[in-house]
Amino acid sequence: MALLVLLPVLALIEIAAQGSGDLWPHLIENVLPVALQQTLLLLLGVGVLTTLMAVPCAWLVATCRFPGRAALDWALLLPLAVPSYIVAYSYLDVLHPLGPVQSALRFLLGISSPRGLRLPDLRSIGGCIFVLSVVLYPYVYLSARASFLVQSAAALEVARTLGAGRLRTFLRIAIPLARPAIVAGVTLALLETLGDIGASEFLGMRTLTVSIYTTWVNRSNLPGAAQIALVMLLLVLVIILGERAARRSRRFVATGSTRPQAPTQLTGLAAWGACLFCALPVLLGFAVPLAHLTLAAAQRIEFSGISLDILKEARNSALLATAGMLVTVSLGLVVAVAQRVDRSRITGAFVRLAGLGYAIPGTVLAIGLLTPMAAFDNLLDGFARQLAGVSTGLLISGSGGALILAYGIRFLTIPASGVEAGYAKLSPHLDMAARSLGCTRGAMVRQVHLPLLRTALATAALIVFVDGMKELPATLLLRPLGFETLATHIYAEAARSTYEDGALAALVIVLVGLIPVILLARISRSAAEGAARPSSSSKSGT
Amino acid sequence: MLRSIGRRLFLAACGTAMLVGTASAQQVVNVYTTREPALAAPLFEAFTKATGITVNSVFVKDGLAERVKAEGAASPADLLMTVDVGNLLDVVDAGVIQPVESKVLSDAIPANLRDPQGNWFALSMRARLIYAAKDMPKLTSFHYEDLSDPKWKGKICIRSGQHPYNIGLTAAYIVHYGEAKTEAWLRGLKANLARKATGGDREGARDIMGGICDIAVGNSYYVGLMRSGAGGPDQKKWGEAIDVVLPTFENGGTHVNVSGAAVAKNAPNKANAVKLLEFAVSPQMQAVYAKQNMEYPVLAGAEIDPIIAALGPLKIDSVSLVEVAKARKKASELMDKVGFDN
């Protein structure tokens, strides 16, 4: 399985090796300093801002009562349904001098010409951090909330009894307890940031991923692009190892009862403040882009009607996302199970490798896959022609099979780490008990593990589905003849900068994405509440 | 469910394979295009109507050469269409095309707009122009060289320096003046920018209207698309908020780039691909193909859209397109060197 993830990486190394090193003096002097600096600033900014938005929200929603809490609880996940490139397009329109915000501002200030007022440009590192953070914070929110929900009331109550204020308890007890979960969420957000091409390129960033594109597309230098991609993989390894280290150094277990805390009722100013604070991310990451898209789509429909192609594209997107999800979750399950039942170092190393796919930019992954896959297809075609006199054509790379495989590799880490985290809550004693009662390993996984992992699996499946709906770069390169998805439709419109024509497709992506996100919200809460019930305190094993 | 989807996928795969395998019997031509399919669709539809040959197209934004190369002998690609002369040379360099000999093509397309060996053929042209704010003194003439004049400090909008359109213009500058002078020009232009070099050409017009810049660099066809109202009422406003000047090099003409096509090396339907190319350069189709994206036709005398014709007479720069395409890599490196996009 890990070999599958390694396949494009190996192909990448092979492609990189075909290039001479003569690109490097130029890259080191003119490209990498800026690319590294911008990438690191972006990672830092997104890491800090998503944490600042998501962690307090997760804490408030999980432990307090205030107006709107029940709705915000799930609404905070909604930005997951919106691709970052769509949010970037929307905000550029909304914040443009001719857009609603600046127009209203000029009206209020009595300025008649747009030349009379110049606000900071969204096309800046700050703007990019803002856009990526408002779409990516739900990853942090999701895992932080789950952690806060299961935190034992006892520890927090002891702190309160000892005279710590509410804020102090949050900062000194709750946050450290939730740290591994927060780090896991931030890691996902950072990997998304690293691989982002749509929003970053659109907002004028020069990140490593954008540099890979430039080197490949404008200088027609695939080996050079592969070489930069390998540098980027190193950065990914650092992030992943960092996350592992953070998790290893702090392993907290609840001992004894994990009675959930009684929610604190907030009143007056505090209550409304909490409501506003939690509503803000939803407003910025979801409501504003959705309102803009709805308006833009309505204008387009009025102007040029609806093309029925969009239904076909929506079906294609959903089909692809579903197939990708099934393959990815199956692969992820195998990886996580292998690690559970076979605790050897080699398996562990392979599992870590599985995480790499997520951080390979889709385009590079696609190129890495195309080469070996097409070679296989050609080999098969050659055999078939020789033996039977028929041509099989491009069996995998021409059929969408390549695309599904690419999804599998790219998103493998989501189910793999999700299931792994699910396993972490199942005491090894459970395995010993099962084995001593005569279960085979297979039966143990089927009859004991799978039912207990149901929630983790469903959560991973939904996230992969949403990501599959949004996926652009690999789809763009690997889809079969005449096969368009909503994302490629938007991209084609954006490529000729007629993105207003893509507004409807963008709206459909968001609306289709909403269903799994709402399901996700339900599952994650019931799971967390289930886990916090005293009866399930068996998780305190490790 | 898993099994049924797996079965469907397998059937789909077999279906595609059979489609490709029996393609020649069905009279099809498979086009890989970096040009958005909607723009080439009228040409394809007319071709199917005239010949009964079905056109299958796939939009390959990046990595056209790599994809066809990787697909190798089993590739279903017949015709490779690109929006930029640089990509045309890329597919030639990647060894994934074959030369075509056709009197129809060589008669219709001027010699400087096709490869002497018949490796590629231009089908339409676009010019790189200057958009100017209406509320400043009218620009009667403009040279590309003027873009680095300090009098424009903080007043120019342009898209990413690494975009093929700007790489093409800069490569032409290199062919005219050499590297050192081009670098100085780029530094001057960079110092004149009103905002980050990013966005699209149309945003230059929108940003002029929004008061961000006084002049912008943009392609000819965007003017046509905006002013025609095809993009909606907002864009019509942007298009009408600007004056358009056809700039030239001081010792030359206006920089143009081309869209074009080449026949794939392993084309299973080569004859149909050549037929499609020849169909595309007929006077009627040249007008349709060019008009679809408001471009200039390559066939002398073919009809030009009235909005584009109204921009004034186009004097094409004299430097060779092939020389320009060869200077692209240097141009891209210079962009990095002066930190144009940073």
Side-chain angles (χ1 to χ4, degrees), chain B residues 152-203:
Chain B
W152 296 112
K153 192 162 180 57
K155 293 185 164 36
I156 300 179
C157 282
I158 194 167
R159 71 192 308 161
S160 160
Q162 293 292 358
H163 191 276
Y165 299 160
N166 287 337
I167 293 292
L169 177 61
T170 307
Y173 209 101
I174 294 176
V175 176
H176 275 280
Y177 295 109
E179 265 180 70
K181 280 194 174 163
T182 308
E183 185 181 332
W185 175 71
L186 281 179
R187 286 192 195 280
L189 173 54
K190 159 95 180 154
N192 285 343
L193 294 185
R195 57 151 164 82
K196 235 175 184 330
T198 176
D201 285 356
R202 245 181 285 218
E203 285 178 282

Side-chain angles (χ1 to χ4, degrees), chain A residues 333-334 336-343 419-420 422-435 439-457:
Chain A
L333 188 63
V334 172
V337 167
Q339 197 193 14
R340 172 75 166 203
V341 295
D342 171 21
R343 295 178 158 260
V419 174
E420 196 195 342
Y423 262 135
K425 292 185 196 142
L426 304 182
S427 161
H429 299 142
L430 201 65
D431 294 20
M432 295 172 201
R435 295 303 299 276
C439 264
T440 62
R441 276 183 175 183
M444 172 181 78
V445 171
R446 271 195 312 278
Q447 293 166 8
V448 181
H449 292 174
L450 280 186
L452 290 169
L453 291 171
R454 218 168 37 209
T455 316
L457 278 172

Side-chain angles (χ1 to χ4, degrees), chain A residues 131-271:
Chain A
V131 164
L132 288 175
S133 297
V134 297
V135 240
L136 297 178
Y137 82 80
Y139 289 109
V140 187
Y141 169 74
L142 194 60
S143 58
R145 185 186 66 155
S147 169
F148 289 138
L149 279 175
V150 298
Q151 271 174 17
S152 157
L156 301 166
E157 274 161 12
V158 167
R160 298 297 298 278
T161 335
L162 290 174
R166 198 176 287 151
L167 185 68
R168 206 173 143 83
T169 315
F170 171 60
L171 292 177
R172 301 296 294 275
I173 311 290
I175 291 213
L177 279 172
R179 206 180 82 175
I182 295 171
V183 172
V186 170
T187 303
L188 273 184
L190 293 188
L191 289 178
E192 287 275 357
T193 303
L194 200 60
D196 177 79
I197 182 85
S200 315
E201 194 188 13
F202 205 65
L203 296 175
M205 294 296 101
R206 311 286 309 151
T207 59
L208 283 169
T209 306
V210 175
S211 304
I212 291 172
Y213 247 73
T214 305
T215 303
W216 172 30
V217 179
N218 293 344
R219 280 197 273 274
S220 314
N221 189 341
L222 188 61
Q227 287 162 4
I228 307 180
L230 289 175
V231 172
M232 209 174 93
L233 282 186
L234 283 180
L235 199 58
V236 173
L237 271 179
V238 171
I239 293 181
I240 293 177
L241 290 178
E243 194 246 355
R244 298 264 159 182
R247 239 196 283 172
R248 192 168 306 130
S249 64
R250 296 278 179 117
R251 185 169 289 169
F252 293 100
V253 282
T255 48
S257 155
T258 50
R259 177 173 53 85
Q261 326 162 42
T264 318
Q265 180 72 47
L266 298 181
T267 51
L269 214 56

